Amino acid sequence: MTTPLGEVLDGRRTAEVHKAARTLLKEPLLLAWGPRADEFRLVRQHASELRDWFDRNTGWSLRVDAEAARLARTPGTLADPTHPAREASRGRAVFTRRRYVLLCLALAALERGETQIALGRLAEQVVLDAADPHLAAAGVEFTMEHRDERLDLAAVVRLLLRHGVLRRVAGEEEAYVSGSGDVLYDVQRRVLAGLLAARRGPSTIIAEDFEDRLAELTAESALDSDELRFRAIRQRLTRRLLDDPVLYYEELTDEELGYLTRQRAFLTARITELTGLVPEVRAEGIAMVDPQDDLTDARMPEQGTHGHVTLLLAEHLATADGAVSRADLERAVRELAAEHGAFWSKSAKQPGAEAELAGQAVERLTALGLVAATPKGIVPLPALARYAVGETVVTEPGQAPSSRASRAPRTPRTPRAPKRKAPQS
């Protein structure tokens, strides 16, 4: 029996919208050129529908023009420190406080500058702006006389290159870092203008405390009716379901929990229709799981030594009764090395490597909402139960999962982790 042409076209259109939405969630700033040019064209083709969905369900605005598509995402929670910007290089080192300050200073200099700029000239502008008394009082100082400072600025520039704010014309950053040359860039002013994702301009905020400034930067307009309050709650919950690996009920206010209890099926169905994410509902919370396993920046399980260590420690923590100290985790890594070290890199088996391995594992598990770091130690969270060795008994939505011991092999299973969204640009 032949499928009607209308159904074929509807199915193709749905698949295109899915792909466009998922691409925006992974890359909130898409360029008309470069490796994602095809995805940009898809977003531009379906811009009206995507703009309407994100505005209504998340409060995020979508701007699309001939050069770029910008989804102005704001995180579901402002207190999550596990999602830093990272270097574009292979090491993927996280941005430090100094690099964030450099990024802001560089953006300010580019906003005032011309359509072309040399890296040396940008460095001069940053040094001048860094002389601000407020920065000096905070202990921030840049001279660009030291290699470490030039490395930090080069990392900032590479991030801006990745986001399309700059396009390299000539030269390499390594030459600037070593002091043997300079680099020339074109400044993409329209991309630069849309980079900031905030409801208010930072210059209009008068609060001095960091948390207060952040709250004002993302504050919504006055909610003077029940309809507006319910819409704001729906948008906050949808943002968290899209962004957070797991939405735990205990983290919600009474008003948010009441709304989610009533509207859970509606909220999750809307997300599934747009993205293909599937809700996993438990007694403790909800995880929107990605069957395609690519809508994430922190994979679990992951290949390589660090991925294997993280998976093994997840199994270890899943059976723990209460908080586990760092020392106990490092001891567990040493024991695991004796059993699994033949599959690990040489450096991971060196004396003292257990501290770094345990630290990176805890960082990844925390980012995935599977553990929490507390003064008493590392505390397993309910979603970590999926990594316990044993036969998991799946329950009905709303009921707690249970498991019973089994004689499973020592090598842990590889269940699919909750998704973790790509960085906000």
Side-chain angles (χ1 to χ4, degrees):
M1 180 176 171
T2 304
T3 303
L5 178 59
E7 293 183 17
V8 173
L9 295 176
D10 286 344
R12 181 177 300 174
R13 181 178 177 282
T14 299
E16 288 180 349
V17 173
H18 272 207
K19 184 176 181 180
R22 291 170 64 89
T23 300
L24 282 172
L25 290 171
K26 288 186 287 187
E27 295 287 345
L29 177 56
L30 281 176
L31 306 176
W33 64 88
R36 292 193 176 273
D38 290 341
E39 286 92 337
F40 166 80
R41 285 191 287 271
L42 204 58
V43 169
R44 194 176 184 190
Q45 179 182 347
H46 298 284
S48 178
E49 182 175 350
L50 292 167
R51 185 182 297 112
D52 179 67
W53 194 97
F54 282 116
D55 178 67
R56 185 172 62 254
N57 293 282
T58 65
W60 298 338
S61 63
L62 174 62
R63 179 182 62 81
V64 182
D65 57 32
E67 295 184 20
R70 178 65 168 119
L71 179 63
R73 284 176 54 190
T74 53
T77 174
L78 302 179
D80 182 5
T82 65
H83 206 49
R86 293 181 179 272
E87 285 188 34
S89 61
R90 184 177 180 181
R92 300 284 292 160
V94 301
F95 264 44
T96 60
R97 177 173 177 261
R98 287 178 60 82
R99 288 189 178 182
Y100 276 118
V101 174
L102 264 180
L103 175 61
C104 293
L105 292 173
L107 290 172
L110 292 172
E111 180 66 29
R112 299 191 306 268
E114 303 297 330
T115 56
Q116 276 196 336
I117 192 168
L119 183 49
R121 176 60 177 164
L122 178 61
E124 293 173 1
Q125 291 295 320
V126 166
V127 170
L128 288 174
D129 291 343
D132 184 283
H134 292 89
L135 291 177
V140 176
E141 181 183 5
F142 296 106
T143 65
M144 296 303 161
E145 295 176 358
H146 305 291
R147 178 180 173 84
D148 287 348
E149 290 183 313
R150 295 195 295 272
L151 278 171
D152 285 340
L153 183 58
V156 166
V157 166
R158 290 191 182 103
L159 183 69
L160 296 178
L161 286 167
R162 178 182 179 276
H163 287 307
V165 176
L166 298 176
R167 297 181 78 175
R168 190 185 295 111
V169 176
E172 293 292 338
E173 288 76 35
E174 289 79 5
Y176 167 77
V177 171
S178 65
S180 62
D182 209 339
V183 196
L184 181 65
Y185 306 100
D186 284 336
V187 181
Q188 307 300 308
R189 305 202 64 81
R190 294 183 70 176
V191 179
L192 172 63
L195 194 63
L196 184 64
R199 298 178 184 276
R200 294 179 54 183
S203 61
T204 67
I205 297 174
I206 60 175
E208 296 184 359
D209 181 74
F210 174 74
E211 285 75 15
D212 292 339
R213 289 183 62 84
L214 192 59
E216 288 191 25
L217 190 66
T218 57
E220 301 179 15
S221 57
L223 307 175
D224 53 5
S225 70
D226 288 342
E227 181 181 355
L228 291 176
R229 284 194 295 272
F230 288 145
R231 185 182 68 179
I233 292 173
R234 181 180 74 248
Q235 291 177 345
R236 288 199 301 271
L237 291 172
T238 303
R239 289 197 294 264
R240 295 200 61 177
L241 287 168
L242 283 169
D243 265 341
D244 297 352
V246 185
L247 176 60
Y248 289 109
Y249 298 141
E250 64 179 16
E251 299 174 352
L252 303 178
T253 66
D254 290 342
E255 191 175 29
E256 290 171 337
L257 181 57
Y259 185 91
L260 181 59
T261 301
R262 297 190 304 271
Q263 302 292 333
R264 183 187 68 201
F266 170 77
L267 290 176
T268 56
R270 292 288 291 168
I271 293 174
T272 300
E273 288 171 3
L274 182 77
T275 65
L277 296 174
V278 179
E280 182 177 293
V281 182
R282 299 292 184 179
E284 303 87 2
I286 303 174
M288 297 300 297
V289 180
D290 182 16
Q292 298 182 37
D293 197 28
D294 68 348
L295 197 57
T296 181
D297 68 326
R299 293 186 179 280
M300 177 79 176
E302 190 174 51
Q303 299 296 321
T305 298
H306 289 293
H308 191 205
V309 172
T310 301
L311 195 58
L312 291 168
L313 285 184
E315 174 197 333
H316 174 77
L317 286 165
T319 58
D321 184 16
V324 179
S325 69
R326 292 273 184 164
D328 287 339
L329 281 182
E330 292 174 14
R331 189 180 307 112
V333 171
R334 288 195 294 271
E335 295 172 356
L336 291 169
E339 185 173 354
H340 302 279
F343 305 100
W344 294 2
S345 65
K346 184 177 180 180
S347 61
K349 293 176 283 186
Q350 298 297 321
E354 61 272 9
E356 179 185 355
L357 291 170
Q360 290 195 8
V362 168
E363 179 183 334
R364 182 173 295 272
L365 293 174
T366 303
L368 287 168
L370 301 175
V371 303
T374 71
K376 294 183 179 180
I378 308 304
V379 177
L381 297 179
L384 191 66
R386 60 168 51 217
Y387 292 94
V389 171
E391 182 182 351
T392 301
V393 179
V394 180
T395 60
E396 293 298 320
Q399 295 180 347
S402 61
S403 63
R404 46 181 185 266
S406 69
R407 300 181 61 84
R410 179 62 177 167
T411 302
R413 297 175 292 119
T414 56
R416 198 180 304 277
K419 56 98 181 76
R420 179 69 164 110
K421 286 297 181 291
Q424 285 81 28
S425 302

